[in-house]
Amino acid sequence: MKPLTSIGARRSATSAPLLRLFVMSGILTVLITRAFLALAGYPKLGSKDPDATVHISHMLWGGLLMALSQIALLGLAGRRLRRGASLVGGVGFGLFIDQVGKQVSNEGYLYAPAAGLIYLSFAVLVVIAWRADDRLPGGRREAPDVAAATRTSQAAELLLHGVDDGLTAAEKARARLLLAGSPRETDRALLRALDTLPQREPKVRAWHGAWEEICRRFGGLAARTGVVRAAVVLAVLFGFLRLGRLAASGLGGPDSEREWNALVVAMACAAVTWGLYVHAVRKLRRDRPAAFRALRTGVLIDLLPGQVLNFTIHQFSAVQDLVLDVLLLAVVTAELRRMDRPAADRRETRDAGDFPALMTGRAPAR
């Protein structure tokens, strides 16, 4: 498989936050849509006659919103425009993927694998957003000329965003770092252009400050020794309970549980996950880092593919299991990062926590 650079594609300097916005808006749209339809009794839009056969599917509205966001991205430029298009596109994708059951089966919302397919779609998008690297390029697989071209395109992208109202000090510093030491005339020209752009103060949004404060408080709580120990105990307990619940789902026979293939594979995933949790507890005293790596592996297996099958079997009632997995993953990952740091940094992390970095995708400032 050829790399994207072979077709002229370059890694964007601002893709990660936009992808996260796209994914989060899509997830919220699906949850809000499902809640509204359940409370409203799944009404038909387009006619007041309850016996009418005409039904305007909200998948069409989702396609319209995705088309509008695509037209905006192709025809217009600007920092705010890209954020708005990411938000609108995410809402459109949420409305679109919510109706996947009607496209792969004539059972509509009653099609059991629909919830699993929706979850799988967003799980793939979350992985893509997580892998989107908005830091400096230069991985081992990149040739020097490819890395240089990527640096130039990312710096030019940042400069383009500053044409209207300038760049913040952090954005200017990042652009200079991308262009530093380059002998290319294009990069030197971009450096000169960077000096002509005004510097602006970063906008302080009330909701953003409140969100960071929530993350900071949660991070400080998650970093406490008692919370970490409780997370390990709850992982083993809930892993065992989930395995038991899946086993109980098949006791009624084929009439009450049709998705036997999903049930068998889900039980296998739950057994492997619980086995990793027990293995982590046994290694906790002897090799703490290895124990938490085993815990993280178990959570990741449960998130994908375990939760895909869990949503297929239990539908959207599996959201509570997903929330528990995400919180457990945040605690375990923060603890692994803390153990990888020197002792002084560990004490600092105990106070502030590492959860804001996990949620925003940015490394904490040092």
Side-chain angles (χ1 to χ4, degrees):
M1 182 177 178
K2 294 183 178 179
L4 291 177
T5 52
S6 64
I7 59 174
R10 297 285 183 267
R11 187 180 301 157
S12 171
T14 58
S15 62
L18 296 177
L19 285 171
R20 288 194 289 268
L21 178 60
F22 178 87
V23 174
M24 290 304 299
S25 60
I27 292 174
L28 289 176
T29 298
V30 170
L31 295 177
I32 293 173
T33 301
R34 287 282 173 161
F36 168 77
L37 291 175
L39 292 174
Y42 296 90
K44 291 185 177 181
L45 302 179
S47 175
K48 296 182 179 180
D49 184 0
D51 299 324
T53 57
V54 176
H55 169 54
I56 302 177
S57 171
H58 57 262
M59 182 186 70
L60 298 179
W61 300 114
L64 176 62
L65 291 177
M66 285 192 290
L68 290 176
S69 66
Q70 188 72 5
I71 292 172
L73 290 173
L74 293 175
L76 302 172
R79 191 197 327 251
R80 296 178 183 175
L81 181 280
R82 293 188 70 194
R83 285 199 295 263
S86 299
L87 177 63
V88 172
V91 173
F93 181 77
L95 293 174
F96 168 80
I97 201 65
D98 182 69
Q99 297 243 297
V100 65
K102 289 189 176 181
Q103 310 310 315
V104 298
S105 170
N106 60 1
E107 298 179 31
Y109 287 103
L110 300 179
Y111 183 56
L117 292 173
I118 293 172
Y119 175 80
L120 178 62
S121 301
F122 281 109
V124 172
L125 289 176
V126 167
V127 172
I128 293 174
W130 176 61
R131 294 291 298 172
D133 190 359
D134 58 353
R135 296 170 296 176
L136 293 178
R140 294 181 179 179
R141 297 183 181 180
E142 288 184 293
D145 57 335
V146 173
T150 302
R151 289 173 181 266
T152 301
S153 67
Q154 288 189 354
E157 182 184 355
L158 289 172
L159 263 68
L160 177 62
H161 289 168
V163 170
D164 291 333
D165 53 359
L167 297 174
T168 64
E171 290 170 336
K172 281 195 170 187
R174 185 180 175 198
R176 288 193 176 92
L177 189 59
L178 286 165
L179 302 171
S182 174
R184 304 172 66 187
E185 180 59 32
T186 302
D187 292 342
R188 290 197 293 266
L190 288 174
L191 277 173
R192 292 192 296 270
L194 180 64
D195 294 332
T196 66
L197 294 178
Q199 182 170 318
R200 65 177 178 85
E201 294 297 325
K203 293 183 178 179
V204 180
R205 296 180 175 87
W207 68 268
H208 190 266
W211 173 248
E212 288 195 343
E213 178 63 18
I214 292 174
C215 291
R216 188 190 67 80
R217 290 181 178 273
F218 183 88
L221 178 65
R224 294 181 178 179
T225 303
V227 175
V228 174
R229 291 176 179 174
V232 174
V233 173
L234 289 176
V236 177
L237 177 61
F238 282 109
F240 178 76
L241 292 177
R242 185 175 303 167
L243 183 60
R245 186 176 68 169
L246 288 171
S249 298
L251 293 180
D255 292 334
S256 61
E257 180 55 65
R258 297 174 299 165
E259 303 299 328
W260 278 103
N261 293 333
L263 179 62
V264 171
V265 180
M267 288 184 64
C269 290
V272 171
T273 299
W274 187 63
L276 285 169
Y277 292 165
V278 174
H279 173 71
V281 171
R282 295 179 63 183
K283 294 197 68 172
L284 200 55
R285 291 181 179 272
R286 293 174 296 168
D287 191 347
R288 188 178 179 87
F292 276 90
R293 284 194 293 270
L295 275 173
R296 182 175 60 183
T297 301
V299 177
L300 291 176
I301 291 175
D302 195 46
L303 284 171
L304 187 78
Q307 286 297 338
V308 176
L309 302 166
N310 194 23
F311 272 84
T312 300
I313 297 169
H314 298 112
Q315 299 298 294
F316 284 89
S317 62
V319 170
Q320 58 185 358
D321 292 342
L322 175 62
V323 173
L324 289 174
D325 278 345
V326 171
L327 293 177
L328 178 61
L329 181 63
V331 174
V332 171
T333 304
E335 183 65 12
L336 281 171
R337 290 186 177 183
R338 187 193 66 83
M339 287 187 290
D340 288 339
R341 293 174 183 157
D345 285 348
R346 292 183 192 179
R347 287 192 296 269
E348 180 183 344
T349 304
R350 286 296 187 192
D351 296 332
D354 202 21
F355 192 67
L358 297 178
M359 296 302 293
T360 60
R362 298 190 300 268
R366 295 288 174 199

